[in-house]
Amino acid sequence: MTPLFWVLLSVGALCASALMSAIVSRRDRAALWIGSIGSIAGCVGGIVASLVALARGQEESIKASWSIPIGGFHVGIDWLSSFFLICIFVVSGLAAVYGVGYLQGYLGKRRLAPAVAFFNLLVAAMVVIVIARDGVLFLMAWEVMSVTSFFLVTFDDEREDVRRAGMTYLMASQLGVVFLFVLFALFARHAGSFDLNAFAISHAPSARLANICFVLAVVGFGTKAGFWPFHIWLPDAHPAAPSHVSALMSGVMIKMGIYGLLRVLMLLGPPPGWWGVLMLAVGGISGMAGVLHALAQHDLKRLLAYHSVENIGIIALGIGIGLLGQSYDQPTMAILGYSGALLHVLNHGLFKGLLFQAAGSILHGAGTRNIESLGGLYRRMPITGSAFLVGSVAISGLPPLNGFVSEWMIYVGAFRGAGNLPVAGTALAVTTVAVIALIGGLAAACFVKAFGIIFLGEARSREASEAHEASASMQLSMVIGATLCFAIGVFPAWAFRLVGPVASSLSRTALSTAPILGQFDAITRVMIVLLLLIGMLALLRGVLLKARDVRFGETWSCGYTGVTTRMQYTASSFAEPVLAPFSTLLHRQVHLEGPTGYFPEYARYEEHFSDIAGERFIVPLTHRFVAFLEKLRVIQHGRLQLYLAYIFFTLIALLALQFSGLLSR
């Protein structure tokens, strides 16, 4: 049996366990265990099958006789599919393990079967998207993904903000899929079939058609990925969903947009230079906007959601470097750019999943995700605090964790371009390096704020002072995720062996990757020396303190009787100096009522940062579109005769077009 068969078997396990959970929906505990065991088993089997497929490097496909309307059941697996399958199964498996403990907190409060069943169907739909080789099958799986994730986002549907977030997400998903419908219709018109392989082996598309398809793919898939300004659904939907679902959506679901874009790039042939420029612009703006808005947030899950926009921007920068390398015939630059983007897909899935799971543990243990109400949690939640620290270092792109490796690949790719491209390309490459460095610095500042305010100092609320550690399955998932972050950071050559063949197939080059692998071996040696040095210092500290009397006492409080929470930095005060230079870009609004009189009893200061993309572009456009639709209501009179007349004249028009031959062209 081939790896593709085992992947299909995993899809079957996911769907079967979802169905069984629905059947026993009145018994919440049974539904939770059946769905979770099916999900974990399917993901473990899928990981093994995907690794085997990636190691073989042979494209396999299955065409069944069963046909779907205007399409067919055609699935396949190649290097690109194998890599994304690994990402899906690893992140989903960890989320499923975490969900066992997380959802038990809802036992007796609401039905769990829908959450478990839709979770498994969402994973199955993402797998089908990655292996689909037929446009109609792809779009059907895409719609299943959108609908199942909508029901997961609205899990707490009693809250108005959750319902609003769900509707915003659904509208954005449908807006994106409109562009995808047009894209696949153009494919079918060119190739005479919805089969993607037929489009790939048909005559090369004209430059005009390729450019149109590329723009449609950037908008359609970019809406799901969260490219600026189509990201507006993301900061609302991720916080609304249960935390293990947030980890899944941010970790891999938005990456389906990246997969779709890369799959389309493989079909369109050699890219012109402006495709790379556009991706660099999209990546730079998304990365900067995402990290700045994250700095301004006080809601932990909303902060993490904006960091997803930032990291999608970094992935887009890697794709842009890859496209520039292709268009300027710089294979090493192209491979490094694509490799960095692909590895960041996996890395972001791991560390963002870890961070959302830690956020869920904080919500589970302290009952709030408001950063300003937390503090001092590390003493009460050491495993969660350590996991959050690992995720924070990784997302900031610092060694020895995985985020450093993928960003380093993009850095090196850009430096290659700076040395070998014409002047315009060199300027772009240098700008890319500067933008990634700035994004990394701001991300580090944001997570110093988050970790410091949440886990250090004194508790700022009663809930924080009574917080407790997460359950065993939640801790297990976080420990595995943190270990994988370390493994990729310390052994980057192994990670490059995963993404190197995929990057070579994307860039259509047979360049040997051995010299690049040698650089990663050097990183491993440096990382091991660094870890040994840290271990020796810790050992030395232990030896020196062993013979001494170590006493613990209160922190010196500068003459005050004791440390109070009012002496601590708040999240707002920590972020204010960093955000001040960017306040215009963030549309900062301040409401101030200062103290009055000699003995003031009241003062008020509020600060809000608006999302310009939503308030200045998307929302006004939506209002205008709705106003336009309101005008069309004139054709709705409620008279049956009029509706029959509409149908009659529509049929006449279609017949006229058919006889004129316009429909067959």
Side-chain angles (χ1 to χ4, degrees):
M1 288 184 283
T2 64
L4 180 57
F5 175 81
W6 285 104
V7 170
L8 290 174
L9 207 59
S10 297
V11 173
L14 289 161
C15 294
S17 55
L19 179 62
M20 291 175 66
S21 298
I23 291 173
V24 298
S25 60
R26 292 188 177 278
R27 300 172 61 190
D28 288 328
R29 195 178 295 276
L32 174 61
W33 279 106
I34 290 172
S36 300
I37 290 172
S39 178
I40 294 167
C43 289
V44 170
I47 290 170
V48 176
S50 308
L51 286 171
V52 171
L54 191 68
R56 287 185 181 178
Q58 296 174 349
E59 186 165 357
E60 303 167 12
S61 65
I62 295 176
K63 263 188 175 181
S65 57
W66 171 66
S67 63
I68 52 182
I70 65 172
F73 185 82
H74 183 193
V75 293
I77 190 168
D78 57 4
W79 269 323
L80 185 63
S81 298
S82 304
F83 175 75
F84 273 88
L85 285 174
I86 292 170
C87 298
I88 292 170
F89 285 126
V90 169
V91 177
S92 303
L94 291 174
V97 172
Y98 183 90
V100 173
Y102 185 83
L103 287 177
Q104 285 187 8
Y106 289 93
L107 281 172
K109 299 176 182 174
R110 61 178 61 246
R111 292 291 180 198
L112 298 185
V116 177
F118 284 128
F119 180 92
N120 289 10
L121 290 176
L122 172 59
V123 179
M126 289 190 290
V127 173
V128 175
I129 286 172
V130 170
I131 62 176
R133 294 295 179 270
D134 183 90
V136 177
L137 180 63
F138 183 99
L139 290 173
M140 287 172 64
W142 190 272
E143 285 294 78
V144 172
M145 175 180 72
S146 298
V147 172
T148 52
S149 53
F150 164 74
F151 285 116
L152 289 169
V153 167
T154 54
F155 179 65
D156 284 324
D157 59 354
E158 296 169 355
R159 290 165 42 196
E160 184 183 352
D161 60 324
V162 169
R163 294 197 298 272
R164 186 170 61 249
M167 291 308 297
T168 304
Y169 168 61
L170 195 61
M171 289 174 64
S173 296
Q174 295 311 301
L175 174 67
V177 87
V178 169
F179 289 87
L180 298 186
F181 272 122
V182 178
L183 172 68
F184 282 99
L186 288 176
F187 280 173
R189 183 180 175 83
H190 179 75
S193 166
F194 279 96
D195 194 307
L196 298 183
N197 287 350
F199 183 82
I201 62 177
S202 63
H203 296 295
S206 65
R208 183 183 176 189
L209 176 61
N211 290 337
I212 293 173
C213 289
F214 175 71
V215 172
L216 288 171
V218 169
V219 177
F221 291 119
T223 304
K224 180 65 73 179
F227 288 159
W228 191 95
F230 310 113
H231 70 284
I232 59 165
W233 63 270
L234 206 148
D236 292 331
H238 284 359
S243 293
H244 69 298
V245 176
S246 304
L248 181 65
M249 291 178 68
S250 181
V252 287
M253 195 197 75
I254 61 173
K255 311 298 174 36
M256 293 301 98
I258 300 297
Y259 168 78
L261 181 59
L262 293 176
R263 177 62 67 188
V264 168
L265 287 175
M266 292 183 76
L267 299 174
L268 293 182
W274 73 267
W275 291 9
V277 176
L278 177 63
M279 290 308 298
L280 290 178
V282 168
I285 295 172
S286 300
M288 287 297 300
V291 72
L292 287 173
H293 281 292
L295 261 166
Q297 303 305 313
H298 309 313
D299 182 309
L300 178 57
K301 291 183 72 174
R302 196 172 175 83
L303 177 150
L304 296 178
Y306 269 113
H307 272 289
S308 294
V309 181
E310 171 224 331
N311 281 276
I312 283 294
I314 293 174
I315 293 169
L317 286 171
I319 295 173
I321 291 293
L323 287 170
L324 273 187
Q326 262 189 281
S327 59
Y328 282 103
D329 195 23
Q330 296 290 329
T332 305
M333 177 184 175
I335 287 179
L336 283 168
Y338 286 133
S339 297
L342 289 165
L343 187 56
H344 208 70
V345 168
L346 175 61
N347 288 342
H348 180 250
L350 291 173
F351 60 64
K352 185 51 71 65
L354 185 61
L355 288 166
F356 266 119
Q357 289 170 5
S361 298
I362 293 168
L363 181 60
H364 180 266
T368 180
R369 61 192 196 207
N370 184 357
I371 297 175
E372 303 286 21
S373 300
L374 298 169
L377 291 191
Y378 197 84
R379 293 189 292 276
R380 302 172 187 83
M381 306 176 71
I383 301 296
T384 298
S386 301
F388 193 89
L389 180 61
V390 170
S392 301
V393 176
I395 200 172
S396 301
L398 299 174
L401 291 165
N402 56 346
F404 165 76
V405 178
S406 47
E407 292 190 23
W408 184 83
M409 287 182 186
I410 301 173
Y411 270 121
V412 176
F415 275 121
R416 285 271 184 172
N420 298 317
L421 296 183
V423 176
T426 300
L428 283 171
V430 171
T431 305
T432 301
V433 170
V435 168
I436 296 178
L438 183 56
I439 291 172
L442 291 171
C446 185
F447 278 95
V448 167
K449 177 193 86 169
F451 185 81
I453 302 297
I454 295 171
F455 290 100
L456 305 182
E458 297 294 323
R460 294 175 173 80
S461 63
R462 183 178 59 81
E463 291 81 4
S465 65
E466 297 174 354
H468 57 83
E469 186 56 278
S471 65
S473 72
M474 295 161 75
Q475 291 183 41
L476 175 65
S477 176
M478 290 188 285
V479 169
I480 296 173
T483 304
L484 290 174
C485 290
F486 262 113
I488 294 176
V490 177
F491 303 102
W494 293 357
F496 184 74
R497 287 190 177 92
L498 281 179
V499 298
V502 190
S504 296
S505 67
L506 282 169
S507 59
R508 297 181 179 85
T509 177
L511 181 72
S512 171
T513 55
I516 303 174
L517 276 171
Q519 297 176 22
F520 290 120
D521 288 334
I523 290 179
T524 298
R525 289 192 289 273
V526 172
M527 295 291 187
I528 290 176
V529 169
L530 180 64
L531 290 176
L532 286 175
L533 187 62
I534 294 172
M536 289 174 63
L537 289 173
L539 183 64
L540 179 63
R541 180 180 181 274
V543 170
L544 292 176
L545 293 179
K546 188 176 181 181
R548 296 188 178 187
D549 180 23
V550 179
R551 292 176 296 175
F552 295 91
E554 295 292 329
T555 306
W556 181 59
S557 53
C558 304
Y560 291 95
T561 55
V563 178
T564 70
T565 55
R566 299 184 66 182
M567 296 177 182
Q568 299 179 137
Y569 260 93
T570 64
S572 303
S573 56
F574 187 95
E576 201 280 336
V578 184
L579 289 174
F582 305 99
S583 56
T584 305
L585 295 175
L586 294 173
H587 197 211
R588 180 188 184 199
Q589 298 173 324
V590 174
H591 306 282
L592 174 64
E593 295 178 35
T596 56
Y598 293 107
F599 300 99
E601 297 181 350
Y602 175 79
R604 173 170 166 263
Y605 178 87
E606 284 187 18
E607 190 177 65
H608 299 283
F609 292 89
S610 304
D611 196 325
I612 294 177
E615 294 200 356
R616 298 283 180 88
F617 299 106
I618 303 298
V619 172
L621 283 175
T622 304
H623 287 165
R624 290 182 184 178
F625 183 65
V626 171
F628 170 73
L629 293 180
E630 287 288 334
K631 293 179 180 176
L632 293 181
R633 293 186 65 180
V634 69
I635 64 175
Q636 182 184 4
H637 292 277
R639 297 172 61 184
L640 181 61
Q641 297 88 340
L642 195 59
Y643 297 147
L644 290 174
Y646 292 159
I647 295 171
F648 174 75
F649 286 116
T650 303
L651 290 174
I652 293 295
L654 288 173
L655 286 172
L657 289 172
Q658 179 67 36
F659 284 121
S660 66
L662 290 175
L663 287 182
S664 58
R665 289 179 188 175

